[in-house]
């Protein structure tokens, strides 16, 4: 008997030999999507009459697999699913209509005639007052016929609050059955057995005839109400501008419009978001915190640069104390998603006028790496803001400073979008890239400081750094992509690094000096997981913040049920790959939350779900970028980078890391230091090794670790604790990329090279103790 047959028998009529049968994850992974579609109706049917333990055990295993993947149902399996839903009514007094609608949506052939069970389901749930799956209820009612659909609509109208939600209900009730079934896949709130929504559900919903126009009317109605509240035409009540039903309706409309990338949407959000985010009075509340967050959640699914800019503007003006912090958390997910949406990520909103005349002075927002406000008089640059401008043009000055913040946010969003496009191997038409980005007043400095590859002939890519020269001849439709060191030879990488240092070009993110992570022999042996970054001890709160900042999803560890371990995850390559990073709670005492790191695994999207993949099958660029993130998490948050850490077993780890082989980030810092230090006044006192920067002072010689920046003193290797000033000499040295740890190493090097001039007694005491 094959596995599917064995599982089916164990759930429906277990034999003696099924006692103790527990399918493993590897067993379940062998099931095809069609096998799952065969098994899930039987799994739903388990539990009606005191099932055997094996039946329940196998049912949970099958349903768990079904929640992670995308089953496919034959018409016969769809019919069995509706039969199971009806049969379960007696014992459950409820039916998972979302699961039933999802079976039809994933049907491999023509839908079976399930009108009769659909009518039974809807009538039973209405009689029981169970309307907690409204979209699925409407969808199944539509299959049951006009009479039952009218009954479901009447009941839902009686329970729906708010004119916007009622208008949506009337629109949805008139949809064709196949469209209603599709829409039900967008809301799995009250379903515990359904698979994940299909990857293209919202795009297909957005294509439903008439939905785009209805979405626009819905959003315009919401904006009109918010404006009326601001104008005092409607009463203001904190967070009561829209009912929960209306918030959900507006959220659906926003997703439809964002999925279609409608051209009218930016102006509408510019009007709607500020109006729902600030009270018309001086109160620190807002008309609708719920709607604000719902639109930001919509942006997480379908981000656009214009909406990111609008959310950032709201974040600066909202008066509610807790909202900015929550928006910051949500924006990290929005920007990570925007990086993967390469077709819109590089579109820059119009910033407005960048140059203005103010009483004989010229004010200009200047973009050169970052946005700054500069003033001039008669063509002569001035330092700071002229006193007459501060006195006579306060409103205009405030507007310009807000513009600087907005432009700065756009530059940061652009850089994150460009960097995020690495794993998607995003390409852009040469003509659009040249005209819309390279020569753009805001995007230009960022784009010119990066290395690009242009396909000048089929299969022939030419690398260019626009900041240093002209462009090759290429047709307007020639592909352009960001250069990545993993596609180049070591000599080419060295040449680009030398050029950046020689020309003092600081890149918007680490590109020429970017770390590369290749598959190791140990990883080839383990095949499906990597231990490269396992067995590290990290400051958990710092790592959790970094995970969120880099677009990873992760649950919070803590001393509660289920809080002992977690698996952070991030999707890459436009959603085709996923990386998972396991970590466990190691210590929660004395508010020093310490986590231990574990394995890294990769999944490939298959059949709408995720399937674990061998490391050798992961595209090299995807593998490298994922491992670079994990190296960043460990390198930045490891307790080995904390010179004050010293207790028991953790101290052993701290010492182990001091002598460990350098990580890729440490090697990159060493490579950068070999280029930077010869141009400094302390060059004669420094030498760079594999693990350390060695600095010869007047009193002692010091070894600064390239990974942690910790310091040991020769000849006894006593550790030296130094907290350098922010404006130490090393902070003034040109760096070709932003790296706080590299800047810290240089600051310490400048300090220790002149150790005879140190006046800080806490440092001198340590140095002289063993000198």
């Amino acid at each position: 008997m094959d596995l599917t047959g064995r599982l089916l028998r164990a759930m429906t009529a277990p034999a003696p030999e099924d006692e103790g049968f527990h399918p493993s994850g590897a067993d379940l992974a062998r099931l095809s999507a069609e096998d799952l579609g065969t098994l899930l109706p039987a799994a739903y049917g388990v539990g009606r009459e005191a099932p055997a333990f094996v039946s329940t055990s196998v049912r949970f295993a099958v349903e768990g697999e079904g929640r992670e993947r995308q089953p496919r149902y034959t018409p016969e399996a769809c019919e069995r699913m509706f039969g199971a839903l009806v049969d379960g009514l007696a014992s459950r007094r409820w039916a998972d209509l979302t699961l039933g609608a999802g079976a039809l949506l994933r049907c491999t052939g023509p839908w079976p005639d399930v009108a009769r069970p659909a009518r039974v389901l809807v009538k039973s749930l209405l009689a029981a007052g169970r309307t907690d799956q409204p979209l699925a209820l409407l969808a199944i009612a539509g299959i049951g016929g006009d009479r039952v659909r009218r009954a479901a609509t009447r009941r839902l109208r009686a329970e729906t609050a708010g004119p916007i939600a009622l208008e949506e209900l009337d629109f949805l009730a008139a949809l064709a059955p196949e469209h209603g079934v599709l829409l039900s896949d967008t809301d799995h709130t009250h379903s515990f057995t359904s698979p994940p929504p299909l990857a293209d559900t919202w795009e297909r919903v957005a294509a439903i005839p008439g939905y785009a126009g209805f979405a626009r009317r819905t959003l315009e109605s919401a904006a009109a109400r918010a404006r009326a509240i601001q104008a005092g035409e409607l009463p203001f009540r904190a967070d009561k501008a829209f009912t929960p039903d209306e918030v959900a309706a507006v959220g659906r409309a926003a997703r439809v419009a964002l999925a279609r990338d409608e051209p009218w949407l930016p102006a509408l959000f510019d009007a709607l978001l500020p109006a729902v985010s600030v009270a018309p009075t001086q109160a620190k509340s807002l008309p609708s915190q719920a709607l604000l967050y719902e639109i930001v959640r919509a942006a997480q699914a379908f981000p656009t640069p214009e909406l990111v800019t609008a959310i950032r503007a709201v974040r600066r003006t909202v008066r509610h104390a807790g909202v900015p912090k929550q928006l910051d958390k949500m924006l990290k997910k929005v920007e990570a998603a925007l990086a993967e949406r390469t077709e819109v990520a590089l579109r820059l909103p119009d910033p407005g006028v960048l140059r203005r005349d103010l009483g004989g002075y010229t004010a200009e927002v200047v973009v050169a790496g970052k946005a700054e406000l500069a003033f001039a008089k008669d063509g002569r640059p001035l330092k700071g803001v002229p006193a007459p401008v501060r006195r006579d043009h306060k409103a205009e000055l405030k507007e310009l400073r807000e513009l600087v913040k907005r432009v700065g946010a756009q530059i940061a969003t652009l850089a994150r979008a460009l960097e995020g496009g690495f794993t998607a191997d995003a390409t852009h038409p040469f003509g659009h890239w040249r005209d819309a980005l390279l020569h753009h007043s805001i995007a230009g400095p960022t784009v010119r400081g990066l290395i690009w590859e242009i396909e000048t002939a089929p299969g022939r890519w030419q690398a260019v750094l626009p900041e240093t020269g002209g462009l090759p001849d290429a047709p307007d439709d020639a592909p352009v992509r960001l250069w990545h060191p993993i596609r180049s030879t070591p000599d080419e990488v060295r040449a680009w690094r030398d050029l950046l240092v020689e020309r003092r070009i600081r890149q918007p993110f680490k590109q020429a000096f970017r770390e590369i992570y290749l598959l190791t022999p140990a990883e080839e042996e383990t095949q499906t997981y990597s231990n490269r970054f396992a067995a590290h001890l990290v400051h958990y709160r710092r790592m959790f913040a970094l995970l969120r900042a880099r677009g990873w999803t992760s649950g919070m560890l803590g001393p509660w049920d289920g809080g002992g371990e977690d698996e952070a995850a991030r999707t890459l390559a436009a959603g085709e790959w996923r990386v998972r990073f396991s970590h466990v709670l190691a210590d929660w005492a004395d508010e020093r939350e310490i986590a231990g790191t574990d394995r890294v695994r990769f999944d490939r999207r298959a059949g709408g779900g995720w399937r674990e993949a061998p490391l050798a099958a992961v595209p090299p660029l995807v593998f490298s970028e994922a491992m670079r993130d994990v190296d960043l998490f460990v390198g930045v948050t490891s307790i080995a980078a904390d010179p004050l850490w010293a207790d028991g077993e953790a101290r052993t780890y701290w010492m182990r890391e001091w002598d460990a082989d350098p990580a890729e980030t440490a090697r990159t810092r060493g490579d950068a230091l070999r280029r930077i230090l010869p141009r400094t006044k302390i060059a004669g006192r420094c030498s760079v090794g594999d693990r350390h920067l060695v600095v010869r002072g007047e009193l002692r010689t010091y070894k600064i670790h390239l990974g942690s920046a910790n310091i040991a003193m020769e000849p006894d290797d006593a550790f030296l604790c130094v907290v350098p000033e922010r404006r130490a000499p090393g902070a003034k040295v040109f760096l070709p990329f932003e790296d706080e740890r590299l800047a810290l190493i240089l600051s310490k090097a400048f300090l220790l090279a002149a150790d005879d001039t140190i006046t800080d007694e806490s440092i001198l005491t340590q140095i002289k103790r063993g000198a």
Side-chain angles (χ1 to χ4, degrees):
M1 181 179 293
D2 65 5
L3 177 61
T4 304
R6 179 86 187 276
L7 293 168
L8 197 59
R9 185 183 69 186
M11 288 189 293
T12 57
E17 56 266 33
D18 293 326
E19 193 67 32
F21 173 50
H22 298 288
S24 67
D27 290 335
L28 295 168
R30 298 204 317 267
L31 295 171
S32 69
E34 287 77 8
D35 291 337
L36 272 177
T38 298
L39 293 167
L40 285 169
Y44 190 86
V46 172
R48 292 195 300 274
E49 296 179 359
F53 172 77
V54 65
S55 301
T56 303
S57 174
V58 173
R59 165 203 164 188
F60 289 151
V62 169
E63 287 185 336
E65 190 72 6
R67 285 193 298 270
E68 295 295 322
R69 293 169 54 189
Q70 290 293 353
R72 299 184 68 193
Y73 298 85
T74 64
E76 294 76 19
C78 287
E79 198 165 9
R80 288 197 300 275
M81 177 61 80
F82 273 78
L85 291 171
V86 171
D87 291 344
L89 284 171
S91 58
R92 301 172 191 260
R93 300 184 184 277
W94 180 76
D96 192 344
L97 298 185
T98 302
L99 181 64
L104 293 175
L105 185 60
R106 293 160 179 80
C107 191
T108 60
W111 289 2
D113 183 3
V114 292
R116 183 176 180 279
R119 287 192 291 271
V120 172
L121 288 167
V122 173
K123 290 178 180 178
S124 299
L125 292 180
L126 291 179
R130 298 300 302 268
T131 57
D132 45 2
Q133 293 181 322
L135 296 183
L137 181 66
L138 276 177
I140 301 302
I143 294 168
D146 289 342
R147 187 173 180 180
V148 72
R149 177 163 56 180
R150 286 194 297 269
T153 304
R154 282 195 302 271
R155 173 61 66 83
L156 290 174
R157 283 190 65 84
E159 298 177 359
T160 298
I164 290 177
L166 287 169
E167 288 178 18
E168 185 202 37
L169 176 60
D170 291 339
F171 173 78
L172 300 183
L175 292 178
E178 61 271 18
H179 294 150
V181 165
L182 177 62
L183 187 65
S184 70
D185 199 46
T186 66
D187 184 11
H188 290 207
T189 306
H190 294 280
S191 177
F192 307 104
T193 48
S194 291
L198 294 171
D200 62 346
T201 292
W202 275 112
E203 287 88 344
R204 292 167 63 186
V205 168
I208 293 174
Y211 210 149
F214 175 77
R216 182 171 187 172
R217 293 192 299 273
T218 299
L219 290 165
E220 287 174 344
S221 295
R225 186 186 300 178
R227 284 195 301 270
I229 292 173
Q230 292 294 331
E233 298 167 4
L234 290 175
F236 165 70
R237 291 183 299 159
D239 205 26
K240 299 294 184 182
F242 301 90
T243 69
D245 294 330
E246 289 181 316
V247 168
V250 175
R252 282 187 282 271
R255 286 169 175 82
V256 166
L258 286 167
R260 296 172 63 91
D261 196 20
E262 293 286 357
W264 47 264
L265 198 53
L268 197 150
F269 278 142
D270 285 344
L272 174 60
L273 288 181
V276 301
S277 303
V278 180
T281 65
Q282 292 303 309
K284 294 184 179 180
S285 54
L286 56 162
S288 184
Q289 184 172 316
L291 184 58
L292 172 62
Y293 290 157
E294 180 64 17
I295 290 176
V296 180
R297 281 191 289 271
Q300 291 173 357
F302 298 103
T304 66
E306 296 87 356
L307 184 48
V308 170
T309 299
I311 296 169
R312 284 194 174 280
V314 163
R315 187 250 179 267
R316 292 194 299 271
T317 59
V318 69
R319 294 194 292 264
H320 189 290
V323 171
K325 184 176 181 180
Q326 182 64 25
L327 287 179
D328 287 341
K329 293 179 181 178
M330 299 175 79
L331 270 169
K332 290 173 182 177
K333 294 182 180 180
V334 174
E335 291 182 331
L338 179 62
E340 297 288 334
R341 203 181 183 199
T342 56
E343 70 276 14
V344 301
L346 304 188
R347 190 173 65 209
L348 284 173
D350 182 7
V353 179
L354 299 179
R355 183 185 179 99
R356 298 179 67 175
D357 291 327
L358 301 176
Y361 295 91
T362 300
E364 184 176 8
V365 178
V366 179
V367 179
K370 63 179 181 178
E372 296 179 327
L373 183 58
F375 285 87
K377 185 172 179 61
D378 300 327
R380 181 173 54 87
L382 302 176
K383 291 184 178 180
V385 183
V389 172
R390 288 199 302 268
R391 183 186 64 240
D392 302 329
H393 300 277
K394 294 179 180 178
E396 294 93 333
L397 184 60
K398 181 180 179 181
E399 289 178 10
L400 285 168
R401 284 172 169 162
E402 285 297 317
L403 180 59
V404 168
K405 294 178 182 178
R406 191 161 66 248
V407 170
Q410 290 180 10
I411 295 171
T413 299
L414 173 65
R416 279 188 283 267
L418 287 170
E419 188 177 16
F422 266 137
T423 62
D425 209 13
T427 61
H428 318 280
F430 176 70
H432 173 78
W433 170 83
R434 178 194 60 219
D435 300 335
L437 292 175
L438 190 64
H439 297 152
H440 194 281
S441 58
I442 294 176
T446 297
V447 173
R448 289 191 292 271
L450 293 167
I451 306 166
W452 297 85
E453 289 184 310
I454 303 167
E455 192 175 31
T456 55
R460 181 176 178 272
W461 294 84
Q462 180 175 340
V464 296
L465 177 60
E467 188 70 29
T468 63
L471 302 177
D473 291 329
D476 283 353
D477 61 350
V480 180
R481 69 185 181 189
L482 272 175
W483 174 90
H484 193 286
I486 204 168
R487 291 192 289 252
S488 298
T489 66
D491 287 342
E492 290 170 335
V493 174
R494 281 192 289 269
W496 284 119
R497 291 179 176 182
D498 289 340
L499 181 63
L500 290 180
V501 175
E502 288 169 7
R503 300 288 187 93
R504 296 178 64 83
I505 297 173
R506 183 181 173 90
Q507 296 196 287
F509 53 82
K510 194 185 291 187
Q511 186 191 26
F513 284 86
R514 202 171 191 83
E515 300 85 0
I516 296 174
Y517 300 81
L518 303 175
L519 205 62
T520 64
E523 289 162 342
E524 291 175 352
E525 186 173 338
T526 56
Q527 297 185 1
T528 60
Y529 63 88
S530 169
N531 279 327
R532 190 185 307 202
F533 300 109
H536 286 274
L537 296 175
V538 299
H539 290 287
Y540 174 63
R541 294 277 179 170
R542 297 179 197 170
M543 189 178 79
F544 184 77
L546 265 180
L547 286 166
R548 294 298 180 90
R550 294 291 296 176
W552 291 62
T553 58
S554 178
M556 175 71 78
L557 297 182
W560 47 74
D561 186 28
E565 60 183 3
D566 188 61
E567 198 171 51
R570 182 188 174 189
T571 57
L572 302 163
E576 291 302 310
W577 287 89
R578 180 175 71 174
V579 57
R580 292 179 284 132
F581 172 40
S582 299
H583 50 284
V584 300
L585 187 65
D587 184 11
W588 199 263
D590 302 324
E591 298 184 355
R592 303 177 307 174
E593 300 97 328
I594 302 300
T597 62
D598 207 338
R599 296 173 174 176
V600 176
R601 298 178 183 270
F602 287 83
D603 304 314
R604 171 189 280 154
R605 189 176 289 282
W610 294 107
R611 305 300 293 273
E612 188 170 88
L615 301 181
V618 183
L621 197 152
V622 173
F623 180 84
S624 183
E625 288 296 300
M627 299 301 274
R628 182 176 182 271
D629 263 9
V630 181
D631 192 1
L632 170 71
F633 302 148
V634 173
V636 171
T637 66
S638 170
I639 65 170
D642 187 345
L644 301 178
W645 195 272
D647 65 344
E649 194 172 315
R651 179 68 175 178
T652 303
Y653 163 76
W654 199 91
M655 296 297 296
R656 184 196 81 189
E657 286 303 298
W658 175 265
D659 294 318
D661 290 338
E664 290 298 326
T665 49
R667 293 192 182 97
T668 300
R669 290 189 192 109
D671 193 24
L673 285 169
R674 293 183 187 95
R675 290 171 165 81
I676 294 167
L677 284 170
R679 302 167 185 270
T680 67
K681 65 181 182 181
I682 63 171
R685 291 184 172 272
C686 297
S687 62
V688 184
D690 290 339
R691 297 185 182 87
H692 308 100
L693 166 62
V694 180
V695 181
R696 180 174 53 83
E698 292 294 335
L699 304 178
R700 299 187 76 163
T701 297
Y702 311 88
K703 294 187 295 184
I704 307 175
H705 197 273
L706 297 177
S708 65
N710 290 331
I711 307 167
M713 300 180 287
E714 294 184 353
D716 56 353
D717 276 350
F719 284 96
L720 172 64
C721 179
V722 172
V723 181
E725 297 178 2
R726 288 188 175 184
R727 295 194 173 275
K732 300 178 182 179
V733 176
F734 163 76
L735 299 180
F737 54 87
E738 183 177 353
D739 186 330
E740 291 185 5
R741 193 67 55 83
L742 178 59
L744 178 61
I745 290 171
L746 280 167
S747 295
K748 290 182 176 181
F750 273 85
L751 176 73
L752 298 173
D755 57 359
D756 58 330
T757 66
I758 294 174
T759 57
D760 189 320
E761 284 298 326
S762 65
I763 299 175
L764 282 175
T765 300
Q766 296 177 74
I767 293 174
K768 293 178 179 179
R769 186 178 297 135

